[in-house]
Short mmCIF file of all heavy atoms in Angstrom, two decimals:
data_model
loop_
_atom_site.label_atom_id
_atom_site.label_comp_id
_atom_site.label_asym_id
_atom_site.label_seq_id
_atom_site.Cartn_x
_atom_site.Cartn_y
_atom_site.Cartn_z
N ALA A 501 0.21 16.33 3.68
CA ALA A 501 -0.97 16.91 4.50
C ALA A 501 -1.43 18.19 3.82
O ALA A 501 -0.61 19.11 3.59
CB ALA A 501 -0.52 17.12 5.87
N VAL A 502 -2.70 18.08 3.39
CA VAL A 502 -3.32 19.35 2.71
C VAL A 502 -4.48 19.83 3.59
O VAL A 502 -5.08 19.09 4.25
CB VAL A 502 -3.76 19.02 1.26
CG1 VAL A 502 -2.57 18.62 0.41
CG2 VAL A 502 -4.80 17.96 1.19
N PRO A 503 -4.76 21.18 3.49
CA PRO A 503 -5.84 21.75 4.18
C PRO A 503 -7.19 21.21 3.69
O PRO A 503 -7.30 20.64 2.60
CB PRO A 503 -5.77 23.22 4.07
CG PRO A 503 -4.79 23.37 2.85
CD PRO A 503 -4.06 22.14 2.70
N VAL A 504 -8.20 21.34 4.57
CA VAL A 504 -9.58 20.88 4.22
C VAL A 504 -10.00 21.59 2.91
O VAL A 504 -9.88 22.77 2.77
CB VAL A 504 -10.59 21.15 5.34
CG1 VAL A 504 -11.96 20.88 4.93
CG2 VAL A 504 -10.12 20.42 6.63
N LEU A 505 -10.48 20.84 1.93
CA LEU A 505 -10.91 21.46 0.71
C LEU A 505 -12.17 22.24 0.96
O LEU A 505 -13.06 21.89 1.80
CB LEU A 505 -11.26 20.39 -0.33
CG LEU A 505 -10.01 19.46 -0.74
CD1 LEU A 505 -10.48 18.34 -1.69
CD2 LEU A 505 -9.01 20.26 -1.39
N GLY A 506 -12.21 23.45 0.37
CA GLY A 506 -13.40 24.29 0.50
C GLY A 506 -13.18 25.23 1.68
O GLY A 506 -14.07 26.21 1.91
N SER A 507 -12.17 25.11 2.45
CA SER A 507 -11.94 25.95 3.62
C SER A 507 -11.22 27.24 3.22
O SER A 507 -11.14 28.17 3.99
CB SER A 507 -11.07 25.28 4.64
OG SER A 507 -9.80 25.03 4.16
N HIS A 508 -10.82 27.33 1.95
CA HIS A 508 -10.12 28.43 1.43
C HIS A 508 -8.76 28.67 2.21
O HIS A 508 -8.22 29.81 2.11
CB HIS A 508 -10.97 29.80 1.42
CG HIS A 508 -12.22 29.58 0.70
ND1 HIS A 508 -12.25 29.52 -0.69
CD2 HIS A 508 -13.54 29.50 1.13
CE1 HIS A 508 -13.46 29.34 -1.02
NE2 HIS A 508 -14.26 29.31 0.04
N ALA A 509 -8.34 27.69 2.79
CA ALA A 509 -7.00 27.74 3.50
C ALA A 509 -5.94 27.42 2.51
O ALA A 509 -6.04 26.61 1.70
CB ALA A 509 -6.98 26.76 4.70
N VAL A 510 -4.97 28.32 2.46
CA VAL A 510 -3.85 28.17 1.61
C VAL A 510 -2.77 27.46 2.34
O VAL A 510 -2.50 27.86 3.60
CB VAL A 510 -3.33 29.53 1.15
CG1 VAL A 510 -2.14 29.27 0.27
CG2 VAL A 510 -4.54 30.23 0.44
N PRO A 511 -2.08 26.47 1.81
CA PRO A 511 -0.99 25.78 2.59
C PRO A 511 0.11 26.85 2.96
O PRO A 511 0.29 27.86 2.27
CB PRO A 511 -0.38 24.86 1.49
CG PRO A 511 -1.51 24.63 0.54
CD PRO A 511 -2.23 25.80 0.54
N ASP A 512 0.70 26.63 4.07
CA ASP A 512 1.68 27.60 4.55
C ASP A 512 2.91 27.77 3.62
O ASP A 512 3.46 28.88 3.71
CB ASP A 512 2.29 27.12 5.94
CG ASP A 512 1.18 27.00 6.94
OD1 ASP A 512 0.10 27.76 6.87
OD2 ASP A 512 1.36 26.34 7.98
N GLU A 513 3.25 26.68 2.92
CA GLU A 513 4.30 26.81 2.06
C GLU A 513 4.09 25.78 0.81
O GLU A 513 3.32 24.93 0.91
CB GLU A 513 5.63 26.37 2.81
CG GLU A 513 5.49 24.93 3.43
CD GLU A 513 6.63 24.72 4.51
OE1 GLU A 513 7.39 25.67 4.87
OE2 GLU A 513 6.74 23.60 4.89
N PRO A 514 4.88 26.04 -0.24
CA PRO A 514 4.74 25.05 -1.37
C PRO A 514 5.24 23.66 -1.02
O PRO A 514 6.05 23.54 -0.09
CB PRO A 514 5.68 25.74 -2.45
CG PRO A 514 5.89 27.13 -2.03
CD PRO A 514 5.83 27.17 -0.47
N VAL A 515 4.83 22.73 -1.78
CA VAL A 515 5.16 21.27 -1.50
C VAL A 515 6.72 21.07 -1.44
O VAL A 515 7.22 20.41 -0.60
CB VAL A 515 4.48 20.37 -2.56
CG1 VAL A 515 5.05 18.90 -2.43
CG2 VAL A 515 3.00 20.48 -2.41
N VAL A 516 7.42 21.74 -2.44
CA VAL A 516 8.86 21.53 -2.50
C VAL A 516 9.53 22.13 -1.22
O VAL A 516 10.43 21.46 -0.69
CB VAL A 516 9.47 22.23 -3.76
CG1 VAL A 516 10.94 22.19 -3.77
CG2 VAL A 516 8.90 21.52 -5.00
N THR A 517 9.03 23.31 -0.73
CA THR A 517 9.59 23.83 0.51
C THR A 517 9.26 22.90 1.62
O THR A 517 10.07 22.76 2.56
CB THR A 517 8.92 25.17 0.70
OG1 THR A 517 9.26 25.97 -0.51
CG2 THR A 517 9.58 25.91 1.93
N THR A 518 8.11 22.30 1.71
CA THR A 518 7.73 21.46 2.76
C THR A 518 8.71 20.19 2.78
O THR A 518 9.14 19.82 3.78
CB THR A 518 6.21 20.86 2.57
OG1 THR A 518 5.34 21.90 2.64
CG2 THR A 518 5.94 19.89 3.59
N ALA A 519 8.97 19.68 1.63
CA ALA A 519 9.94 18.52 1.58
C ALA A 519 11.35 18.96 1.93
O ALA A 519 11.90 18.15 2.81
CB ALA A 519 9.90 18.00 0.12
N HIS A 520 11.71 20.07 1.61
CA HIS A 520 13.20 20.61 1.88
C HIS A 520 13.29 20.79 3.47
O HIS A 520 14.21 20.45 4.12
CB HIS A 520 13.54 21.85 1.24
CG HIS A 520 13.84 21.68 -0.18
ND1 HIS A 520 14.95 20.89 -0.66
CD2 HIS A 520 13.24 22.14 -1.32
CE1 HIS A 520 14.97 20.88 -2.02
NE2 HIS A 520 13.94 21.59 -2.43
N ARG A 521 12.20 21.46 4.01
CA ARG A 521 12.25 21.69 5.40
C ARG A 521 12.19 20.36 6.24
O ARG A 521 12.85 20.13 7.21
CB ARG A 521 11.00 22.59 5.83
CG ARG A 521 10.86 22.80 7.30
CD ARG A 521 9.50 23.43 7.67
NE ARG A 521 8.46 22.73 7.11
CZ ARG A 521 7.87 21.63 7.58
NH1 ARG A 521 8.41 20.99 8.71
NH2 ARG A 521 6.83 20.99 7.07
N ALA A 522 11.34 19.43 5.73
CA ALA A 522 11.15 18.12 6.54
C ALA A 522 12.51 17.38 6.44
O ALA A 522 12.79 16.77 7.40
CB ALA A 522 10.00 17.38 5.87
N ARG A 523 13.15 17.41 5.33
CA ARG A 523 14.38 16.60 5.12
C ARG A 523 15.43 17.20 6.18
O ARG A 523 16.17 16.39 6.75
CB ARG A 523 15.00 16.82 3.62
CG ARG A 523 14.32 15.98 2.72
CD ARG A 523 14.92 15.87 1.37
NE ARG A 523 16.09 16.61 1.13
CZ ARG A 523 16.26 17.51 0.10
NH1 ARG A 523 15.36 17.68 -0.78
NH2 ARG A 523 17.30 18.27 -0.01
N ALA A 524 15.49 18.54 6.33
CA ALA A 524 16.43 19.09 7.26
C ALA A 524 16.11 18.75 8.67
O ALA A 524 17.01 18.40 9.52
CB ALA A 524 16.52 20.57 7.07
N VAL A 525 14.78 18.90 9.06
CA VAL A 525 14.33 18.49 10.39
C VAL A 525 14.59 17.01 10.75
O VAL A 525 15.04 16.61 11.77
CB VAL A 525 12.83 18.84 10.54
CG1 VAL A 525 12.31 18.24 11.78
CG2 VAL A 525 12.60 20.27 10.45
N ILE A 526 14.20 16.14 9.74
CA ILE A 526 14.39 14.72 9.95
C ILE A 526 15.92 14.42 10.14
O ILE A 526 16.30 13.66 11.07
CB ILE A 526 13.82 13.91 8.75
CG1 ILE A 526 12.41 14.06 8.77
CG2 ILE A 526 14.32 12.51 8.83
CD1 ILE A 526 11.70 13.62 7.45
N ALA A 527 16.75 14.91 9.33
CA ALA A 527 18.26 14.63 9.51
C ALA A 527 18.75 15.13 10.88
O ALA A 527 19.46 14.37 11.53
CB ALA A 527 19.03 15.30 8.41
N GLU A 528 18.39 16.41 11.23
CA GLU A 528 18.96 16.92 12.50
C GLU A 528 18.26 16.12 13.72
O GLU A 528 19.08 15.76 14.71
CB GLU A 528 18.54 18.39 12.64
CG GLU A 528 18.87 19.00 13.99
CD GLU A 528 20.45 18.83 14.30
OE1 GLU A 528 21.18 18.75 13.35
OE2 GLU A 528 20.74 18.73 15.44
N ARG A 529 16.99 15.84 13.78
CA ARG A 529 16.45 15.11 14.82
C ARG A 529 17.01 13.63 14.97
O ARG A 529 17.29 13.18 16.01
CB ARG A 529 14.93 15.05 14.70
CG ARG A 529 14.28 16.33 14.78
CD ARG A 529 13.81 16.67 16.16
NE ARG A 529 12.89 15.79 16.80
CZ ARG A 529 12.83 15.32 17.93
NH1 ARG A 529 13.76 15.80 18.81
NH2 ARG A 529 11.98 14.52 18.43
N LEU A 530 17.22 13.03 13.83
CA LEU A 530 17.76 11.68 13.91
C LEU A 530 19.17 11.64 14.34
O LEU A 530 19.64 10.90 15.12
CB LEU A 530 17.71 11.01 12.52
CG LEU A 530 16.43 10.35 12.08
CD1 LEU A 530 16.45 9.79 10.67
CD2 LEU A 530 16.01 9.17 13.05
N ARG A 531 19.96 12.62 13.89
CA ARG A 531 21.33 12.84 14.37
C ARG A 531 21.35 13.10 15.91
O ARG A 531 22.14 12.49 16.71
CB ARG A 531 22.05 13.98 13.71
CG ARG A 531 23.55 14.05 14.11
CD ARG A 531 24.10 15.36 13.81
NE ARG A 531 23.42 16.51 14.47
CZ ARG A 531 23.62 16.68 15.83
NH1 ARG A 531 24.34 15.92 16.51
NH2 ARG A 531 22.95 17.69 16.41
N SER A 532 20.43 13.97 16.40
CA SER A 532 20.49 14.25 17.81
C SER A 532 19.95 13.04 18.71
O SER A 532 20.38 12.82 19.76
CB SER A 532 19.65 15.53 18.17
OG SER A 532 18.27 15.25 17.89
N ILE A 533 19.10 12.22 18.11
CA ILE A 533 18.53 11.12 18.88
C ILE A 533 19.48 9.94 18.95
O ILE A 533 19.74 9.35 19.87
CB ILE A 533 17.17 10.69 18.41
CG1 ILE A 533 16.11 11.86 18.67
CG2 ILE A 533 16.75 9.38 18.96
CD1 ILE A 533 14.76 11.55 17.97
N THR A 534 20.02 9.55 17.67
CA THR A 534 20.81 8.34 17.50
C THR A 534 22.36 8.62 17.67
O THR A 534 23.11 7.64 17.89
CB THR A 534 20.61 7.73 16.15
OG1 THR A 534 21.09 8.61 15.12
CG2 THR A 534 19.15 7.42 15.99
N GLY A 535 22.73 9.85 17.55
CA GLY A 535 24.17 10.10 17.55
C GLY A 535 24.87 9.76 16.25
O GLY A 535 26.09 9.88 16.17
N ARG A 536 24.18 9.38 15.25
CA ARG A 536 24.70 8.97 13.99
C ARG A 536 24.61 10.12 12.92
O ARG A 536 23.57 10.87 12.95
CB ARG A 536 24.04 7.71 13.36
CG ARG A 536 24.08 6.51 14.29
CD ARG A 536 25.18 5.53 14.00
NE ARG A 536 25.41 5.19 12.61
CZ ARG A 536 24.96 4.09 12.03
NH1 ARG A 536 24.24 3.14 12.70
NH2 ARG A 536 25.24 3.80 10.76
N GLN A 537 25.57 10.26 12.08
CA GLN A 537 25.47 11.26 10.95
C GLN A 537 24.47 10.79 10.01
O GLN A 537 24.40 9.61 9.73
CB GLN A 537 26.91 11.46 10.40
CG GLN A 537 26.89 12.47 9.36
CD GLN A 537 26.65 13.89 9.82
OE1 GLN A 537 27.04 14.24 10.99
NE2 GLN A 537 26.04 14.69 9.04
N VAL A 538 23.58 11.66 9.56
CA VAL A 538 22.59 11.42 8.47
C VAL A 538 23.12 12.07 7.20
O VAL A 538 23.10 13.30 7.09
CB VAL A 538 21.21 11.83 8.84
CG1 VAL A 538 20.26 11.53 7.76
CG2 VAL A 538 20.70 11.20 10.14
N GLU A 539 23.59 11.23 6.28
CA GLU A 539 24.13 11.79 5.02
C GLU A 539 23.09 12.13 4.08
O GLU A 539 23.25 13.21 3.28
CB GLU A 539 24.97 10.72 4.46
CG GLU A 539 25.94 11.18 3.22
CD GLU A 539 26.88 12.27 3.68
OE1 GLU A 539 27.35 12.28 4.84
OE2 GLU A 539 27.13 13.07 2.82
N ARG A 540 21.96 11.39 3.95
CA ARG A 540 20.95 11.72 2.90
C ARG A 540 19.60 11.43 3.39
O ARG A 540 19.41 10.42 4.14
CB ARG A 540 21.23 10.87 1.72
CG ARG A 540 20.38 11.08 0.53
CD ARG A 540 20.71 10.32 -0.70
NE ARG A 540 20.34 8.94 -0.46
CZ ARG A 540 21.12 7.85 -0.52
NH1 ARG A 540 22.37 7.99 -0.81
NH2 ARG A 540 20.70 6.63 -0.30
N VAL A 541 18.64 12.22 3.10
CA VAL A 541 17.18 12.05 3.41
C VAL A 541 16.44 12.20 2.13
O VAL A 541 16.62 13.36 1.58
CB VAL A 541 16.63 12.93 4.50
CG1 VAL A 541 15.20 12.76 4.76
CG2 VAL A 541 17.41 12.77 5.89
N THR A 542 15.67 11.26 1.80
CA THR A 542 14.71 11.37 0.55
C THR A 542 13.35 11.27 1.02
O THR A 542 12.94 10.42 1.75
CB THR A 542 15.03 10.20 -0.41
OG1 THR A 542 16.42 10.22 -0.77
CG2 THR A 542 14.28 10.30 -1.67
N VAL A 543 12.54 12.30 0.65
CA VAL A 543 11.17 12.30 0.94
C VAL A 543 10.29 12.21 -0.30
O VAL A 543 10.46 12.91 -1.28
CB VAL A 543 10.68 13.59 1.69
CG1 VAL A 543 9.21 13.64 1.88
CG2 VAL A 543 11.48 13.80 3.01
N THR A 544 9.50 11.14 -0.25
CA THR A 544 8.50 10.93 -1.40
C THR A 544 7.12 11.05 -0.89
O THR A 544 6.75 10.35 0.03
CB THR A 544 8.71 9.52 -1.99
OG1 THR A 544 10.11 9.38 -2.49
CG2 THR A 544 7.81 9.24 -3.18
N PHE A 545 6.34 11.95 -1.54
CA PHE A 545 4.87 12.03 -1.14
C PHE A 545 4.16 11.01 -2.09
O PHE A 545 4.11 11.14 -3.19
CB PHE A 545 4.36 13.47 -1.31
CG PHE A 545 5.02 14.44 -0.44
CD1 PHE A 545 5.78 15.45 -0.88
CD2 PHE A 545 4.80 14.37 0.87
CE1 PHE A 545 6.37 16.45 -0.11
CE2 PHE A 545 5.30 15.27 1.84
CZ PHE A 545 6.15 16.20 1.34
N SER A 546 3.59 10.03 -1.37
CA SER A 546 2.77 8.97 -2.16
C SER A 546 1.30 9.26 -2.36
O SER A 546 0.77 8.58 -3.19
CB SER A 546 3.05 7.66 -1.39
OG SER A 546 2.45 7.85 -0.12
N SER A 547 0.75 10.12 -1.55
CA SER A 547 -0.66 10.47 -1.69
C SER A 547 -0.87 11.73 -0.90
O SER A 547 0.10 12.34 -0.54
CB SER A 547 -1.50 9.28 -1.06
OG SER A 547 -1.22 9.10 0.36
N SER A 548 -2.14 12.06 -0.58
CA SER A 548 -2.45 13.20 0.20
C SER A 548 -3.53 12.75 1.21
O SER A 548 -4.26 11.98 1.07
CB SER A 548 -2.79 14.42 -0.62
OG SER A 548 -4.08 14.10 -1.32
#
């Protein structure tokens, strides 16, 4: 997810930081919802 082009909005964080944060959030939320340990989360950005 990128900001509207021409809006001069700067993303809140770099892409790598977004991926790291999302991996941690995904692992924790899945663990809390399913009760299963999440050993690995891989995030691939396929487009924007």
Side-chain angles (χ1 to χ4, degrees):
V502 296
V504 177
L505 298 176
S507 67
H508 303 291
V510 177
D512 297 337
E513 57 193 9
V515 174
V516 173
T517 306
T518 299
H520 287 296
R521 178 191 51 79
R523 285 190 354 231
V525 168
I526 292 165
E528 177 55 32
R529 293 272 296 142
L530 279 176
R531 187 202 57 74
S532 68
I533 292 169
T534 66
R536 303 265 312 262
Q537 182 64 34
V538 179
E539 189 65 31
R540 184 180 72 237
V541 176
T542 302
V543 175
T544 302
F545 293 116
S546 58
S547 62
S548 63

